[in-house]
């Protein structure tokens, strides 16, 4: 999936590679095949039973604040071993991670009765970055060793057609003897900002680096996807992580970057800078040197694992459970990037097996994150209030661990 001669084939098979952000259509009349928009919302809960060769069941519900739902005799069964998701233009995309090989891609939407129906089923290359940009889905296949060319594809999310592509030599981008590995892509204004790690890519210690204490964001114009600039800093480490978004734009147009400061060399943690939040002011392509939110200090020494935006400067953070480490059972917290406050989430289960940090949604009122929490005692959907940091237990999911929560309109 690296040469422009494959564009026609990719137009048929790669139209659905996207991930954890959502972009609901705001049109009164839905043009994506889901029927007339009635103003109603249906929640999609994905749950895995852990059975060999089975990915997730897709369950639907009108309300996730109460009751229970089960995978037994219910939902749509998917195949494969690992799936990732996005909703874009009021379509739900389910992608099989192919371990470097092509994998099945299935697209769903809601019909006029609110029933989840399959729209299409294709094969697509495995890619590493997937993000909604305007009405497109931007996908990037990023090499970790061997060839150094990253391939970028623009996909019309309504028509499921590739409308353009671009390439980036990751060694040329890094300019430090290593290679750039994009952690994610975020639309900021009319441009696309792509944070990246610097990695050795030598086939032995691929994701190791000799540059653990620097931050980079490559700025591309859109839709041309031409590199304009690299934004640099050295107060923390790279933003996000492999398959993990670390850069978010708020309602004011400012962008906030989250670093776990978890760079390694030969599997040894080598970052010396703190896990922190940095800021890029609206209309600028520089890090704001007057802003630095030292989350590691505010949390008592913990590092950021992953991040979800709620609204109004409130973020749900998943923190590594071991102080100063990049491991340990997850802990949840709320960060207010405007006031630089950090608050541990209360009323949550004592032991968290996993939390759906990458596949979350925001409540209808914009005040809470809706997440799936799996525990040794059961699996529930929780609402985490961004102002109070209090967790409220909602629907119980039986017969499988929760892997994602999304929503569609119909």
């Amino acid at each position: 999936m690296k040469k422009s001669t494959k564009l026609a084939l990719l137009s048929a098979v790669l139209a659905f590679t996207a991930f954890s952000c959502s972009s609901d259509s705001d049109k009164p009349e839905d043009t994506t095949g889901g029927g007339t928009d009635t103003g109603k919302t249906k929640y999609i809960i994905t749950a895995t039973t852990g059975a060999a060769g089975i990915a997730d069941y897709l369950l639907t519900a009108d309300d996730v604040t109460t009751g229970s739902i089960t995978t037994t005799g219910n939902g749509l069964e998917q195949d494969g071993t690992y799936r990732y998701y996005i909703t874009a233009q009021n379509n739900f995309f389910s992608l099989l991670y192919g371990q470097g090989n092509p994998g099945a891609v299935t697209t769903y939407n809601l019909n006029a009765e609110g029933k989840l129906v399959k729209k299409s089923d294709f094969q697509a290359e495995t890619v590493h970055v997937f993000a909604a940009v305007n009405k497109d889905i931007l996908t990037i296949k990023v090499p970790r060793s061997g060839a150094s060319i990253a391939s970028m594809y623009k996909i019309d999310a309504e028509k499921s057609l590739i409308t353009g592509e671009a390439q980036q030599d990751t060694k040329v981008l890094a300019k430090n003897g290593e290679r750039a590995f994009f952690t994610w892509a975020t639309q900021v204004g009319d441009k696309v900002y792509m944070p990246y790690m610097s990695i050795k890519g030598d086939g032995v210690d691929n994701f190791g680096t000799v540059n653990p204490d620097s931050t980079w964001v490559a700025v591309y114009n859109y839709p041309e996807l031409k590199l304009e600039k690299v934004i640099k800093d050295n107060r923390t480490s790279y933003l996000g992580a492999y398959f993990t978004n670390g850069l978010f734009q708020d309602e004011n147009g400012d962008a906030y970057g989250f670093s776990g400061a978890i760079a390694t060399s030969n599997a040894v943690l080598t970052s010396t800078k703190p896990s922190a939040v940095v800021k890029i002011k609206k209309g600028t392509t520089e890090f704001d040197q007057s802003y630095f939110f030292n989350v590691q200090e505010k949390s008592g020494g913990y590092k950021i694992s992953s991040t979800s935006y709620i609204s109004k400067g409130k973020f749900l953070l998943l923190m590594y459970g071991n102080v100063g480490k990049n491991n340990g059972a997850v802990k949840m917290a709320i960060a207010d990037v405007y006031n630089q406050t950090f608050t541990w989430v209360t009323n949550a289960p004592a032991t968290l097996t996993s939390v759906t940090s990458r596949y979350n949604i925001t409540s209808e009122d914009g005040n809470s994150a809706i997440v799936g929490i799996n525990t040794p005692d059961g699996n529930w959907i929780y609402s985490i209030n961004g102002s109070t940091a209090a967790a409220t237990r909602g629907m119980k999911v039986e017969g499988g661990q929760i892997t994602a929560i999304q929503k569609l309109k119909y």
Side-chain angles (χ1 to χ4, degrees), residues 176-244:
N176 60 6
E178 297 188 331
R179 63 174 69 198
F181 193 97
F182 298 112
T183 58
W184 209 248
T186 302
Q187 182 174 356
V188 179
D190 60 355
K191 302 182 187 300
V192 178
Y193 285 30
M194 300 185 194
Y196 63 83
M197 312 158 58
S198 179
I199 65 172
K200 296 176 184 176
D202 59 10
V204 178
D205 184 26
N206 277 333
F207 284 104
T209 181
V210 296
N211 301 280
D213 293 329
S214 295
T215 309
W216 306 270
V217 177
V219 179
Y220 291 85
N221 67 3
Y222 202 84
E224 293 82 4
L225 285 171
K226 292 182 179 179
L227 178 66
E228 293 187 346
K229 183 179 181 179
V230 175
I231 307 173
K232 304 176 182 179
D233 206 328
N234 60 4
R235 294 173 294 170
T236 186
S237 190
Y238 60 83
L239 305 181
Y242 179 71
F243 262 95
T244 303

Side-chain angles (χ1 to χ4, degrees), residues 103-127:
V105 177
T106 311
T107 310
Y108 303 86
N109 58 17
L110 298 174
N111 62 18
E113 290 73 42
K115 181 180 179 181
L116 190 67
V117 294
K118 183 185 293 187
K119 183 178 178 180
S120 60
D121 201 354
F122 295 90
Q123 290 285 314
E125 293 286 346
T126 294
V127 291

Side-chain angles (χ1 to χ4, degrees), residues 1 9-10 13-14 17 84 95-105 122-127 141:
M1 197 178 75
L9 175 63
L10 286 168
V13 301
L14 188 63
T17 40
Y84 40 87
L95 301 100
L96 176 65
Y97 184 71
Q99 300 292 334
N101 299 312
V105 177
F122 295 90
Q123 290 285 314
E125 293 286 346
T126 294
V127 291
K141 186 177 181 69

Side-chain angles (χ1 to χ4, degrees), residues 80-159:
T81 56
Y82 182 74
R83 292 269 179 169
Y84 40 87
Y85 308 97
I86 186 175
T87 55
Q89 296 302 303
N90 210 36
N91 289 314
F92 177 81
F93 301 91
S94 169
L95 301 100
L96 176 65
Y97 184 71
Q99 300 292 334
N101 299 312
V105 177
T106 311
T107 310
Y108 303 86
N109 58 17
L110 298 174
N111 62 18
E113 290 73 42
K115 181 180 179 181
L116 190 67
V117 294
K118 183 185 293 187
K119 183 178 178 180
S120 60
D121 201 354
F122 295 90
Q123 290 285 314
E125 293 286 346
T126 294
V127 291
H128 309 89
V129 175
F130 342 89
V133 180
N134 295 336
K135 292 185 178 181
D136 297 332
I137 296 172
L138 173 64
T139 70
I140 311 175
K141 186 177 181 69
V142 193
R144 70 187 69 178
S145 60
S148 60
I149 302 299
S151 299
M152 309 174 187
Y153 299 91
K154 293 183 298 147
I155 301 152
D156 186 311
E158 291 181 339
K159 299 178 181 179

Side-chain angles (χ1 to χ4, degrees), residues 200 205 207-209 212 262-271 325-326:
K200 296 176 184 176
D205 184 26
F207 284 104
T209 181
I262 54 170
T264 64
S265 181
N266 296 312
V268 176
L269 191 67
T270 54
S271 293
K325 303 293 185 180
N326 60 346

